[in-house]
Amino acid sequence: GESVGLHLPTLSVQEGDNSIINCAYSNSASDYFIWYKQESGKGPQFIIDIRSNMDKRQGQRVTVLLNKTVKHLSLQIAATQPGDSAVYFCAEMVTSGTYKYIFGTGTRLKVLA
Amino acid sequence: GAVVSQHPSWVICKSGTSVKIECRSLDFQATTMFWYRQFPKQSLMLMATSNEGSKATYEQGVEKDKFLINHASLTLSTLTVTSAHPEDSSFYICSSEGPYNEQFFGPGTRLTVL
């Protein structure tokens, strides 16, 4: 069935270090992937996306890597800051007549001062 | 990104009552909007896809008679939780679909059923 899962439910990093959050997806036909950040009591906030014709995309302090061979997605955050503390979700867009997003289970990132 | 609002941001109701949650796309017209439910410390689960001018498409396991969705205009979709019970207590989040199938999320509505 369709599923998107994460390897690490909680990740603690020291302020200033780099963070890597991983995600595995199961739908090999998915061609669009998105990372979201969700702070407590708020809706998801778009971070970065990537299409399946790419294997890397960079934003400001964030990089998304896509490995279609093993169906793996990762989010790298450079120089992690306290404001990065949140839950991070990956999502894949699946097409079954209409478009919809399937969300992963989420990883909580804790930034230690 | 686009702005999506939800109203109310939180609501407490008695068991058996119905609650309506509004989702508005403030700066663009959205033919398609989505409703998600999120239980504490869990991920977002898609409940239904709301299509302007037509019936919503519900995900497997979601009762369409319990979660009524109306998408009467290109900027407004509503979710009504009918005869709410404590197990319906959750965080309900909507999103609007943009021109490139991207989704813009609302801030969520916290529903607590006593």
Side-chain angles (χ1 to χ4, degrees), chain B residues 32-95:
Chain B
T32 303
M33 300 173 89
F34 300 88
W35 286 97
Y36 295 83
R37 179 168 53 184
Q38 185 178 31
F39 292 109
K41 299 183 179 180
Q42 294 188 24
S43 187
L44 282 74
M45 295 298 295
L46 179 64
M47 299 175 67
T49 302
S50 172
N51 303 295
E52 188 270 337
S54 65
K55 292 182 179 180
T57 303
Y58 290 81
E59 294 299 300
Q60 190 173 8
V62 178
E63 301 175 57
K64 62 180 181 181
D65 294 330
K66 180 168 183 64
F67 298 99
L68 302 179
I69 292 173
N70 184 283
H71 193 156
S73 77
L74 289 171
T75 59
L76 174 65
S77 176
T78 61
L79 168 69
T80 301
V81 183
T82 62
S83 186
H85 291 283
E87 58 265 30
D88 298 322
S89 298
S90 189
F91 194 50
Y92 292 86
I93 306 171
C94 71
S95 70

Side-chain angles (χ1 to χ4, degrees), chain A residues 36 38 43 99-101 103-104, chain B residues 38 43 59 101-103 106-107:
Chain A
Y36 289 95
Q38 187 180 30
Y99 296 99
K100 64 181 180 181
Y101 285 12
F103 279 78
Chain B
Q38 185 178 31
S43 187
E59 294 299 300
N101 301 126
E102 70 274 52
Q103 292 190 24

Side-chain angles (χ1 to χ4, degrees), chain A residues 4-6 21-25 33-37 73-75 87-92 101-107, chain B residues 43:
Chain A
V4 179
L6 294 179
I21 301 172
N22 297 300
C23 176
Y25 63 95
F33 305 88
I34 317 97
W35 279 101
Y36 289 95
K37 173 186 180 182
L73 194 67
S74 69
L75 175 70
V87 178
Y88 290 81
F89 294 98
C90 66
E92 61 176 326
Y101 285 12
I102 304 297
F103 279 78
T105 55
T107 292
Chain B
S43 187

